């Protein structure tokens, strides 16, 4: 299941995504966690030290190698240099699984242990001084989009992405790549405004969007969110002493998380799992192609000097039936 966490800066998006990742991993589920925020804090939220976070490889830095691997033997893609972030897979492309070993994971993923559970962590890489004036952060996030375009994931497997704050993911088709999007929202007018902006942008693309209220201090906070959000509000995560201790650098055991907040994580997993039955691979592939053609026409053709519409394999539909499930491997 492909899951995104979005929300305004300071809403607690990274904290909630890290808690959800811990919840999945400690239950024994295969998890790939991806930090795609311009502010790279997911590793620290999962308990890594500053030194460990600093040594995480950058997806953005490995983009040429990622393209070369995913291109495979697809005859419609002349070379890796002609691939852009929206390039769709076709016959001959290499497809990724969550529970496999492959060169992308070897280059970019690091196994970490959280509360005795193993998972893989990937990071786009922070926006550096060298990027100023010559690049934008979307070029780094493009590596995540390419991976998702080529990902075949089954039920009980989880790719969880901590996205950039606000509505930055609408700069490409990345926001359509997920089975479930959780928008983290504080009980404030600004938080509601960010939700409505995201909802309106996503309305035409059948994005499965639920709101998680965060930093709930009392019943009035939850009542405010219910009044403003209606059925979009899935649950409310309360102020947490466990989170505070973690942010102070302590290491409380995950099973010490407040029962009411742990229950919210279970509801979130149930909601994400329910999205599997709603998967429509034909629609998913057609959206992928539509955004690729849009990007090709607006900037991709000029940048690569090629007609990127020719990369589309018209008879190809991504789907779980394309690869058998491999035996789960340790991470």
């Amino acid at each position: 299941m492909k899951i995104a966490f979005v929300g305004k800066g300071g809403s607690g998006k990274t904290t909630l995504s890290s808690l959800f990742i811990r919840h999945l991993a400690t239950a024994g589920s295969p998890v790939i966690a991806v930090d795609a925020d311009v502010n790279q804090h997911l590793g620290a939220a999962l308990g890594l030290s500053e030194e460990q976070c600093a040594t995480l490889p950058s997806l953005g830095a490995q983009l040429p190698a990622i393209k070369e691997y995913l291109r495979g033997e697809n005859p419609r893609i002349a070379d890796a240099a002609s691939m852009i972030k929206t390039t769709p897979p076709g016959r001959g492309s290499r497809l990724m699984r969550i529970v496999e070993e492959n060169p992308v994971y070897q280059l970019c993923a690091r196994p970490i242990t959280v509360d005795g559970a193993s998972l893989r962590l990937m990071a786009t890489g922070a926006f550096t001084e060298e990027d100023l004036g010559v690049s934008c952060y979307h070029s780094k996030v493009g590596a995540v989009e390419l991976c998702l375009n080529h990902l075949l994931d089954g039920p009980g497997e989880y790719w969880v992405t901590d996205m950039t704050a606000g509505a930055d993911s609408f700069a490409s088709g990345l926001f359509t790549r997920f089975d479930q999007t959780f928008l983290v929202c504080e009980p404030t007018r600004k938080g509601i405004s960010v939700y409505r902006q995201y909802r309106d942008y996503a309305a035409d693309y059948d994005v499965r969007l639920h709101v998680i209220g965060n930093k709930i201090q009392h019943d009035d906070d939850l009542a405010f969110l219910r009044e403003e959000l209606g059925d979009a509000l899935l649950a409310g995560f309360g102020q947490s002493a466990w989170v505070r201790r973690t942010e102070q650098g302590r290491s409380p055991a995950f099973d010490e998380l407040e029962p009411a907040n742990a229950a919210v994580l279970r509801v979130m997993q149930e909601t994400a799992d329910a999205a599997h039955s709603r998967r429509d691979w034909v629609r998913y592939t057609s959206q992928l192609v539509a955004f690729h053609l849009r990007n090709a026409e607006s900037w991709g053709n000029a940048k690569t000097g090629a007609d990127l519409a020719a990369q589309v394999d018209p008879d190809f539909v991504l789907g779980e039936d394309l690869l058998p499930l491999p035996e789960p491997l340790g991470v």
Side-chain angles (χ1 to χ4, degrees), residues 72-131:
E73 299 178 357
N74 186 334
R76 294 178 175 273
I77 303 175
D79 50 44
S82 66
M83 294 180 73
I84 62 174
K85 61 186 178 181
T86 53
T87 294
R91 285 167 291 187
S93 298
R94 288 194 177 98
L95 303 177
M96 297 170 54
R97 299 296 314 222
I98 286 177
V99 292
E100 70 180 0
E101 297 292 349
N102 63 49
V104 174
Y105 296 154
Q106 290 166 6
L107 282 171
C108 304
R110 290 296 175 265
I112 67 171
T113 300
V114 178
D115 296 287
S118 296
L119 60 101
R120 286 185 173 117
L121 174 63
M122 297 200 293
T124 55
F127 198 74
T128 65
E129 186 175 346
E130 289 75 18
D131 295 319

Side-chain angles (χ1 to χ4, degrees), residues 187 212-229 233-238:
I212 306 299
N214 193 31
K215 304 179 185 178
I216 305 298
Q217 296 186 17
H218 40 66
D219 290 345
D220 285 349
D221 287 341
L222 205 54
F224 168 76
L225 289 175
R226 288 198 184 102
E227 180 180 347
E228 296 291 335
L229 300 172
L233 179 65
L234 181 66
F237 195 91

Side-chain angles (χ1 to χ4, degrees), residues 208-258:
R208 186 176 169 89
L209 177 66
H210 289 89
V211 178
I212 306 299
N214 193 31
K215 304 179 185 178
I216 305 298
Q217 296 186 17
H218 40 66
D219 290 345
D220 285 349
D221 287 341
L222 205 54
F224 168 76
L225 289 175
R226 288 198 184 102
E227 180 180 347
E228 296 291 335
L229 300 172
D231 292 341
L233 179 65
L234 181 66
F237 195 91
Q239 290 279 31
S240 171
W242 189 96
V243 169
R244 177 62 65 191
R245 294 200 305 275
T246 300
E247 291 174 342
Q248 292 169 344
R250 306 177 192 179
S251 301
F254 187 57
D255 60 9
E256 295 176 8
L257 182 68
E258 298 85 1

Side-chain angles (χ1 to χ4, degrees), residues 122-194:
M122 297 200 293
T124 55
F127 198 74
T128 65
E129 186 175 346
E130 289 75 18
D131 295 319
L132 294 176
V134 298
S135 183
C136 73
Y137 193 68
H138 298 129
S139 63
K140 297 179 181 293
V141 179
V144 179
E145 187 164 359
L146 264 178
C147 288
L148 287 171
N149 288 354
H150 292 75
L151 182 68
L152 291 178
D153 55 307
E157 308 167 353
Y158 301 91
W159 175 294
V160 183
T161 304
D162 182 25
M163 298 282 283
T164 53
D168 279 0
S169 61
F170 290 100
S172 70
L174 182 57
F175 72 99
T176 68
R177 302 294 89 200
F178 300 100
D179 299 296
Q180 173 66 54
T181 297
F182 291 119
L183 188 142
V184 180
C185 181
E186 296 172 277
T188 64
R189 302 301 305 176
K190 180 62 176 175
I192 298 298
S193 175
V194 171

Side-chain angles (χ1 to χ4, degrees), residues 5 15-29 31 46 114-115 117 119 158 160 237 242 254 257 261-270 273:
F5 280 80
T15 298
L16 262 293
S17 62
S18 70
L19 286 167
F20 188 64
I21 289 163
R22 287 175 186 261
H23 167 75
L24 296 173
T26 55
S29 300
V31 180
L46 289 170
V114 178
D115 296 287
L119 60 101
Y158 301 91
V160 183
F237 195 91
W242 189 96
F254 187 57
L257 182 68
N261 287 333
V264 170
L265 300 177
R266 291 193 295 272
V267 169
M268 292 168 65
Q269 181 180 4
E270 292 167 0
D273 288 344

